[in-house]
């Protein structure tokens, strides 16, 4: 079968797909969040945070944008974020993890059978997210806009549970007959997560599907991280297209290291000199 004609290009089809969300109401919620909590947009270079960023900048083009740098992102991600920050004139800051991810993993000893294992005093999530986020909140305020979606997790777990617990809390606290349907409750109160430390995250696309995200990107012609093209060309299933740090323990058994080795062979070999056990997952 020959190449598809231009009229059947996947991006063209996605651009015509209805998103099914009230974007005007969503922008008003973003505006209210920024008025109430100030803060920043967390941008990882991935498709979901790209959509969240694009929505937030329609409300405030100068909203602070932060990148939590693990020190072990795909090379293309660094170039992409830098170029986008320049092209869009972002109010942009980088918050690096301390220590960088590669140093953290190497010093743990878990990636080298010849080394002794040393437990860090800080969990990896704290190093990569909690600590950089704390610094960002100190600089910009308690609010955060992120691209986290509920359906990234299996129903009843992870991010799905996070959002639905938060929705129940928001409805119980703030909905006094203003909503007559569960859909209205989701639209008016969903996506807001109030944390015990006083910070407040809002996920404007918390209840969007993956197809909704791709449709929005195609419709608005947003520039996409080239890592997605590389992963697609490698034959990586779409549900495994992730552009976060290149070594993610949550996805080792799903072929992530194999894709790294195939798509970035020189980088893989350099990493394997520091983390020899990478070969076990490739």
């Amino acid at each position: 079968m020959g190449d598809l004609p231009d009229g059947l290009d996947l991006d063209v089809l996605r651009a015509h797909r209805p998103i099914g969300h009230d974007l005007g109401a969503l922008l008003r919620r973003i505006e209210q969040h920024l008025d109430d909590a100030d803060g920043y947009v967390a941008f990882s270079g991935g498709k979901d945070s790209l959509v969240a960023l694009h929505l937030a900048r329609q409300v405030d083009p100068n909203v602070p944008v932060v990148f939590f740098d693990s020190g072990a992102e795909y090379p293309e991600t660094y170039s992409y974020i830098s170029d986008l920050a320049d092209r869009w004139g972002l109010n942009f800051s980088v918050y690096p993890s301390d220590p960088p991810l590669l140093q953290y993993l190497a010093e743990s000893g878990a990636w080298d059978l010849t080394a002794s294992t040393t437990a860090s005093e800080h969990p990896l999530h704290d190093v990569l997210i909690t600590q950089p986020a704390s610094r960002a909140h100190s600089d910009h305020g308690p609010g955060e806009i992120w691209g986290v979606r509920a359906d990234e997790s299996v129903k009843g777990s992870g991010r799905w549970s996070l959002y639905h617990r938060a929705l129940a809390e928001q409805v119980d606290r703030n909905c006094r007959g203003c909503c007559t349907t569960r859909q209205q409750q989701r639209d008016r109160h969903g996506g807001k997560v109030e944390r015990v430390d006083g910070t407040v995250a809002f996920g404007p696309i918390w209840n969007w599907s993956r197809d909704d995200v791709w449709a929005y990107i195609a419709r608005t012609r947003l520039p996409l991280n080239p890592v997605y093209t590389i992963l697609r060309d490698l034959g990586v299933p779409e549900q495994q297209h992730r552009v976060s740090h290149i070594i993610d323990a949550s996805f080792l058994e799903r072929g992530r290291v194999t894709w790294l080795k195939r798509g970035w062979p020189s980088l893989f070999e350099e990493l394997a000199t520091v983390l020899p056990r990478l070969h076990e997952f490739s």
Side-chain angles (χ1 to χ4, degrees), residues 120-231:
S120 172
E121 60 180 301
H122 299 293
L124 184 56
H125 183 271
D126 286 355
V127 172
L128 295 179
I129 302 296
T130 306
Q131 294 173 4
S134 177
R135 300 197 302 270
H137 283 302
S138 294
D139 291 342
H140 302 294
E144 178 179 25
I145 293 174
W146 61 7
V148 174
R149 293 184 297 109
D151 77 354
E152 293 179 89
S153 299
V154 175
K155 184 177 180 180
S157 67
R159 294 168 176 182
W160 190 97
S161 292
L162 170 72
Y163 273 127
H164 283 82
R165 282 197 306 268
L167 172 60
E169 292 171 359
Q170 290 297 317
V171 169
D172 183 62
R173 186 179 305 143
N174 301 313
C175 187
R176 297 291 182 267
C178 64
C179 302
T180 58
T181 67
R182 302 186 89 176
Q183 184 60 51
Q184 286 182 344
Q185 290 180 340
R186 287 191 289 268
D187 291 343
R188 296 176 183 177
H189 303 288
K192 182 177 181 179
V193 179
E194 296 180 324
R195 304 186 181 108
V196 295
D197 65 358
T199 61
V200 183
F202 177 54
I205 62 171
W206 76 276
N207 59 341
W208 287 30
S209 68
R210 186 187 305 115
D211 287 340
D212 288 334
V213 172
W214 284 121
Y216 184 91
I217 289 172
R219 184 175 300 180
T220 53
R221 299 186 178 185
L222 298 183
L224 198 61
N225 190 327
V227 171
Y228 286 108
T229 300
I230 297 173
L231 294 175

Side-chain angles (χ1 to χ4, degrees), residues 5 8 203 236:
L8 293 179
V236 180

Side-chain angles (χ1 to χ4, degrees), residues 7-83:
L8 293 179
D9 180 87
L10 181 58
D11 288 335
V12 173
L13 294 177
R14 281 171 166 165
H16 290 286
R17 183 188 183 280
I19 296 176
H21 298 277
D22 185 341
L23 296 181
L26 193 51
L27 294 179
R28 289 191 290 273
R29 289 203 64 197
I30 292 173
E31 182 176 22
Q32 186 64 57
H33 171 79
L34 292 173
D35 287 345
D36 291 344
D38 208 2
Y40 60 82
V41 178
F43 182 50
S44 67
K47 68 183 190 309
D48 299 329
S49 65
L50 174 65
V51 172
L53 171 60
H54 187 259
L55 290 167
R57 292 189 72 247
Q58 293 176 61
V59 174
D60 180 3
N62 198 46
V63 62
V65 180
V66 307
F67 171 52
F68 300 147
D69 180 15
S70 70
E73 310 294 323
Y74 288 102
E76 293 82 1
T77 294
Y78 288 113
S79 299
Y80 165 74
I81 290 178
S82 178
D83 291 345

Side-chain angles (χ1 to χ4, degrees), residues 238-281:
E238 187 174 279
Q239 64 270 24
Q240 295 183 31
H241 286 195
R242 299 183 63 85
V243 300
S244 59
H245 40 274
I246 55 182
I247 304 170
D248 189 332
S250 299
F251 296 92
L252 289 176
E253 304 295 345
R254 302 186 191 179
R256 185 170 178 125
V257 176
T258 299
W259 308 128
L260 172 64
K261 185 175 182 179
R262 292 180 181 178
W264 295 264
S266 297
L267 178 58
F268 172 84
E269 292 301 333
E270 290 179 14
L271 290 169
T273 61
V274 180
L275 309 174
R277 294 191 64 194
L278 274 180
H279 289 287
E280 297 178 20
F281 299 94

